[in-house]
Amino acid sequence: MDRTDAGAPLLSDPVRISGDVVPMTLTAGGKLRWTDRCLSIEKDVLGFTVEGCHIKIRAVIESRAAICCGGDGGTLLRKTFTFEPLNEDSLRLWNQRLQSVFDSLGRPKRLFVLLNPYGGNRSATKVFLDDVKPLLDDANIHYTLQETKYRLHAKEVAHSLDLLGYDGVLCVSGDGILVEVVNGLLEREDWSSAIKMPLGVIPAGTANGMAKSLLDSVGESCTAFNATLAIIRGHKRSLDVATVSQGEKRYFSVLMLAWGLIADIDIESEKYRWMGSARMDFYAIQRIFCLRRYHGCIKFVAAPGFENFGEPYELGSEIDELNSNWVMQDGYCGPTFDMKSFNRKIEGPFLSIWLHNVPWGGEDILAAPDAKFSDGYLDLVVMKDCPKLSLAMLMSEMNKGGHVRSPHVLYLKVKAFALEPGPRADDPNKEGIIDIDGEVLARGKGTYKCDQKTLMAYGKLHIKVDKGLATVFSPISS
């Protein structure tokens, strides 16, 4: 929208509101003013309809309770304002001018919605019907709804979806559906254009780390209402994508990778799923008092300013191994990267290795407080050793990111990363679990459900970051 003279009127005309004739003005800056009311089309207005001789403006406004109590503007309500132009010419003109303002905002007009009815506490359908659908209807957004039926269904849909008919893909779930969609888009022949499709996330699962990260970046609470507003308004930002590779296998990650304590708690606590969200805290206590340490090694390309973490490392004959395993195939193979740049390493044993692409690992876990959406780096959290009492206190600080300030934690940024996981220090016949975006990437010997097939083997992995490869709807523009 041209804001060179934002206050200049596009249209100013008397209209009838609740039986009274009052002046109404639509400005070039997208403000709709009458009597004591002023609405920003970009921020406050979802959409409008012409019904007979009336125009209905559908908006979101602060609740009176929030205003009277000095609230921070976080409580919003849907509200419809109706006005009647005084003649047909005025009605036609108001319709045209309002539509021109909306068209200038670049908002999505048609969305493909993927809904996981089985995730979390199975609330996604209710969330969609109660919170998402009414707002999409108010915004005149057409949508196609697809419920996922099984694991990786969303990936299959994204891989074959005709994207030309949509302005975005909306994921009503936890983080899992978003990750499946990213992988499906990047495995297409037309991946380079497909991955530009804006992706939206509605928190309706267990973790909701991506939605929390996006909304918290502007101080908004992690609700389906706020997330839907961000999508309707059409603002977008770039998102880094990490390619995890092992031989010819690859997986695209947008959230996190964990090995050791965090992965064990995340995956093994599933046996207590009947406890609900309390299962994580309950199992964390068990793991703290029965700590496991894992042999292994990590190697990485340190970001500027973090070159003194770890020990110097020179990559020798492994260079050919890292690059020779790629084969020509459909889809994206990951960013090109000079493996000679690997310059640092840390030897185990380790309590935990945690890589993060966004700040929040869940709605109550600020895993990497300095993580950025598109800086081209992953935030690495390393724990080698920690007394049990200190570890318990450290983990209690995760809800506000205080754990990264512990003297028992190394916190740095990396451009590329190699994980060489080994067996448990107390039992060489037992290995660990590698957790990627909340799913099991690899299980070693003697682990929970180790008989189940996984995408990759429990062995050496390489992770490389592609800066700003994907696009997500966001409360603010990048």
Side-chain angles (χ1 to χ4, degrees):
M1 183 184 298
D2 184 3
R3 302 297 176 92
T4 54
D5 191 2
L10 282 178
L11 179 60
S12 186
D13 219 12
V15 300
R16 184 174 286 108
I17 298 178
S18 300
D20 297 326
V21 176
V22 300
M24 177 177 280
T25 300
L26 175 65
T27 72
K31 303 290 186 182
L32 188 63
R33 294 192 178 98
W34 70 97
T35 57
D36 60 346
R37 177 73 67 173
C38 178
L39 295 177
S40 165
I41 301 293
E42 184 174 26
K43 179 183 177 183
D44 305 320
V45 180
L46 301 172
F48 77 97
T49 56
V50 178
E51 300 180 14
C53 59
H54 296 86
I55 293 179
K56 293 189 174 182
I57 303 293
R58 293 180 169 85
V60 289
I61 62 170
E62 291 184 35
S63 68
R64 290 189 177 275
I67 296 172
C68 294
C69 297
D72 60 2
T75 305
L76 296 175
L77 300 174
R78 295 167 54 225
K79 186 174 178 62
T80 299
F81 300 93
T82 302
F83 70 92
E84 179 186 357
L86 300 186
N87 54 62
E88 288 188 7
D89 287 341
S90 180
L91 177 67
R92 175 177 46 80
L93 199 54
W94 274 109
N95 183 22
Q96 291 175 348
R97 295 294 167 83
L98 283 169
Q99 192 60 57
S100 70
V101 173
F102 276 93
D103 290 344
S104 72
L105 296 176
R107 291 182 173 182
K109 297 179 180 179
R110 185 170 179 84
L111 296 172
F112 189 88
V113 181
L114 281 160
L115 185 150
N116 177 12
Y118 307 108
N121 56 5
R122 298 175 180 259
S123 64
T125 300
K126 186 176 188 303
V127 167
F128 179 77
L129 293 176
D130 292 352
D131 298 322
V132 182
K133 184 180 183 300
L135 291 171
L136 296 182
D137 291 342
D138 283 353
N140 303 319
I141 292 177
H142 300 282
Y143 59 87
T144 300
L145 178 63
Q146 170 72 64
E147 290 191 356
T148 57
K149 306 297 184 184
Y150 46 84
R151 185 174 176 271
L152 299 182
H153 187 193
K155 178 182 176 182
E156 294 175 4
V157 172
H159 188 265
S160 60
L161 183 65
D162 182 2
L163 299 174
L164 294 178
Y166 301 99
D167 302 313
V169 175
L170 179 56
C171 305
V172 186
S173 174
D175 295 315
I177 296 299
L178 170 67
V179 175
E180 287 190 27
V181 170
V182 169
N183 276 268
L185 294 177
L186 286 172
E187 290 184 9
R188 295 167 60 118
E189 290 185 13
D190 63 344
W191 65 266
S192 60
S193 59
I195 195 59
K196 296 176 183 177
M197 172 64 67
L199 307 177
V201 190
I202 304 296
T206 302
N208 304 317
M210 183 62 72
K212 173 72 173 183
S213 295
L214 289 167
L215 291 165
D216 184 70
S217 69
V218 294
E220 294 183 4
S221 57
C222 185
T223 66
F225 190 95
N226 287 341
T228 307
L229 285 182
I231 293 161
I232 289 171
R233 289 165 177 160
H235 295 174
K236 307 172 190 73
R237 75 186 313 155
S238 299
L239 178 68
D240 291 345
V241 176
T243 302
V244 183
S245 60
Q246 185 181 73
E248 296 180 4
K249 296 178 180 178
R250 65 193 190 278
Y251 184 92
F252 302 106
S253 169
V254 293
L255 291 162
M256 54 79 77
L257 179 142
W259 171 57
L261 178 63
I262 300 300
D264 292 346
I265 292 172
D266 189 19
I267 302 304
E268 294 178 2
S269 65
E270 289 180 0
K271 66 184 77 171
Y272 302 107
R273 186 170 286 274
W274 56 269
M275 297 180 66
S277 59
R279 67 184 171 95
M280 303 284 280
D281 293 335
F282 174 76
Y283 195 66
I285 294 172
Q286 290 191 40
R287 288 274 54 86
I288 289 172
F289 284 99
C290 300
L291 277 178
R292 301 170 184 166
R293 293 174 176 81
Y294 294 89
H295 291 298
C297 180
I298 60 172
K299 300 165 186 175
F300 50 91
V301 179
F306 297 93
E307 296 91 347
N308 293 327
F309 284 77
E311 301 174 359
Y313 173 69
E314 294 183 5
L315 192 62
S317 60
E318 293 176 82
I319 298 175
D320 292 334
E321 174 201 337
L322 297 180
N323 288 318
S324 64
N325 286 325
W326 292 112
V327 294
M328 293 300 294
Q329 52 189 310
D330 293 338
Y332 183 54
C333 290
T336 56
F337 197 86
D338 181 8
M339 291 299 175
K340 293 180 181 179
S341 299
F342 271 74
N343 52 10
R344 310 299 292 179
K345 71 174 181 177
I346 300 175
E347 298 279 356
F350 299 99
L351 280 179
S352 180
I353 298 294
W354 208 2
L355 278 169
H356 251 273
N357 191 39
V358 295
W360 290 86
E363 290 189 53
D364 57 355
I365 302 176
L366 183 52
D370 295 338
K372 308 297 181 186
F373 293 98
S374 57
D375 62 353
Y377 301 107
L378 294 170
D379 281 37
L380 173 60
V381 182
V382 180
M383 279 194 290
K384 292 196 63 177
D385 200 6
C386 185
K388 293 178 180 179
L389 180 59
S390 297
L391 181 57
M393 296 177 63
L394 179 154
M395 294 191 71
S396 71
E397 292 284 310
M398 285 187 176
N399 64 336
K400 51 182 180 288
H403 62 290
V404 300
R405 295 189 294 272
S406 167
H408 304 289
V409 171
L410 293 177
Y411 182 44
L412 62 149
K413 288 182 178 287
V414 299
K415 176 66 177 177
F417 180 85
L419 172 64
E420 299 175 10
R424 282 167 50 173
D426 64 331
D427 188 344
N429 295 314
K430 292 184 177 181
E431 297 174 322
I433 294 172
I434 301 174
D435 177 6
I436 185 99
D437 294 345
E439 301 290 337
V440 177
L441 182 69
R443 301 180 198 263
K445 295 182 297 182
T447 59
Y448 175 66
K449 294 185 177 181
C450 60
D451 57 324
Q452 293 189 0
K453 185 179 180 180
T454 55
L455 179 63
M456 296 183 183
Y458 186 76
K460 190 172 184 177
L461 302 172
H462 301 101
I463 300 106
K464 297 180 287 185
V465 184
D466 212 325
K467 182 176 179 179
L469 183 63
T471 301
V472 290
F473 288 110
S474 170
I476 59 171
S477 299
S478 57

